[in-house]
Amino acid sequence: MTVYIDPPLWPRHGTTWSHLVSDASLDELHALARAAGIPARAFDLDHYDVPAERHAELVALGATPVGTRELIRRLRASDLRVTSAARHGRA
């Protein structure tokens, strides 16, 4: 089991954001988020949104940096991915 983080590329609220995901377990993902002090409100059904200034800290805590495509590939393969349709009650 591994937790992955993509580069902070996603602009919003005056900063850029990374995504933090697990390849096997939401419990593992939540554990790393708790250890880093990431608030529960940053969780978005299958990932955490984290600001750019936390990226290096999360890598130091054990998150594996990967490119965005690789992060999405691993999230889909994990069966933890929540689709857009499911997010909006269409699935």
Side-chain angles (χ1 to χ4, degrees):
M1 292 191 290
T2 304
V3 174
Y4 297 94
I5 189 166
D6 65 353
L9 300 173
W10 312 98
R12 193 76 161 179
H13 306 293
T15 190
T16 54
W17 299 80
S18 293
H19 300 107
L20 192 66
V21 305
S22 173
D23 65 352
S25 163
L26 290 179
D27 290 337
E28 173 188 47
L29 179 61
H30 294 313
L32 182 63
R34 275 192 307 274
I38 297 171
R41 70 179 179 273
F43 184 65
D44 189 14
L45 302 178
D46 59 7
H47 70 277
Y48 281 88
D49 294 316
V50 293
E53 61 268 14
R54 304 289 309 269
H55 189 273
E57 172 193 357
L58 289 162
V59 171
L61 285 171
T64 300
V66 294
T68 299
R69 288 182 185 204
E70 180 67 12
L71 180 130
I72 291 168
R73 187 188 71 74
R74 290 179 184 262
L75 181 58
R76 285 179 178 154
S78 75
D79 289 328
L80 298 174
R81 177 74 174 134
V82 177
T83 65
S84 178
R87 284 177 193 278
H88 298 96
R90 297 186 307 252

